[in-house]
Amino acid sequence: QSRLHMELDLFAEWFAARLIEHPVDIAAWQQACGLLVESADMQPKCCVHRDYHCRNLLYNNGKLGIVDFQDALRGPVLYDVASLLRDCYHTFDEASVDQWLGQFVQITPALQGTAPDEIKRAFDWLALQRQLKAVGIFARLHLRDHKSSHLSYIAPLLLRIQQLAAQYPALHGLNVQLVDCIEAAKRAALPLS
């Protein structure tokens, strides 16, 4: 749990407070983060790559290779599929996401017997956790490491995160925070697009 909270705090610290200089509402942020982390914690656990996205999958001569797995650990069963299907660098249409998630569920014994709406919510909430973390990392790369290569991914990712959060009434506080951050980023005229 502490690792997931720490990852979510990257967004609040590096993106909201430092990059756009619009700190999050602490109470609303902690409540939303608590829901996301609790959802992740309730899932069955397995070995997760933790950075399973299109740039870490290499296809050559009919073979698939996976790189950047040094941070693998035991985590929520939906973590890697959420990272891949809600990729920070590529957007899949919802029909494909639903189809592929359904196929993943069919071959994952730990998810058998779980209601489809519960799986979809847990999947989406893990994707939100991961994407919020990514926005924080992208901001940190720019501010601390002087690497602006990922700034252009923040704006589209923020919009996708906000749209996803808006689908869940329980995440209303997070949605409000995200709308505020998007407006603050526009006012700051940051090179986010």
Side-chain angles (χ1 to χ4, degrees):
Q1 280 191 357
S2 61
R3 179 182 293 269
L4 294 177
H5 277 290
M6 180 190 69
E7 291 174 350
L8 286 162
D9 288 342
L10 293 171
F11 178 94
E13 178 183 352
W14 288 97
F15 176 73
R18 294 187 186 198
L19 186 64
I20 63 171
E21 298 179 356
H22 184 79
V24 297
D25 175 281
I26 297 298
W29 180 254
Q30 288 177 343
Q31 189 265 347
C33 290
L35 291 173
L36 297 178
V37 170
E38 181 182 346
S39 174
D41 196 44
M42 291 173 54
Q43 289 182 37
K45 303 298 184 280
C46 67
C47 181
V48 295
H49 181 281
R50 291 192 64 245
D51 207 11
Y52 199 73
H53 58 78
C54 65
R55 292 184 173 186
N56 286 336
L57 301 174
L58 308 175
Y59 187 75
N60 187 23
N61 293 325
K63 295 183 180 178
L64 180 67
I66 302 170
V67 298
D68 199 15
F69 49 81
Q70 68 274 7
D71 291 329
L73 49 74
R74 186 170 168 79
V77 70
L78 290 168
Y79 193 93
D80 285 344
V81 72
S83 297
L84 182 63
L85 299 183
R86 299 253 187 246
D87 197 294
C88 294
Y89 308 105
H90 182 79
T91 304
F92 297 105
D93 64 86
E94 277 305 298
S96 295
V97 169
D98 289 342
Q99 176 189 345
W100 295 328
L101 177 59
Q103 291 171 340
F104 177 80
V105 170
Q106 287 178 354
I107 62 168
T108 307
L111 295 173
Q112 300 307 308
T114 307
D117 60 327
E118 288 181 38
I119 291 171
K120 184 66 185 278
R121 182 192 50 78
F123 165 82
D124 283 342
W125 288 20
L126 263 179
L128 285 167
Q129 186 276 338
R130 169 134 173 83
Q131 291 175 339
L132 288 164
K133 173 182 89 167
V135 169
I137 289 172
F138 297 166
R140 184 177 67 186
L141 281 169
H142 172 68
L143 294 170
R144 186 190 73 187
D145 303 335
H146 309 290
K147 296 178 182 177
S148 299
S149 57
H150 288 71
L151 276 183
S152 64
Y153 297 106
I154 291 177
L157 193 50
L158 266 180
L159 291 174
R160 292 198 317 258
I161 294 168
Q162 185 273 315
Q163 291 166 354
L164 190 57
Q167 295 176 27
Y168 294 95
L171 298 179
H172 174 74
L174 176 60
N175 183 45
V176 169
Q177 295 289 307
L178 292 167
V179 169
D180 288 349
C181 284
I182 289 168
E183 290 306 312
K186 289 177 185 175
R187 285 192 305 273
L190 294 172
L192 297 179
S193 57

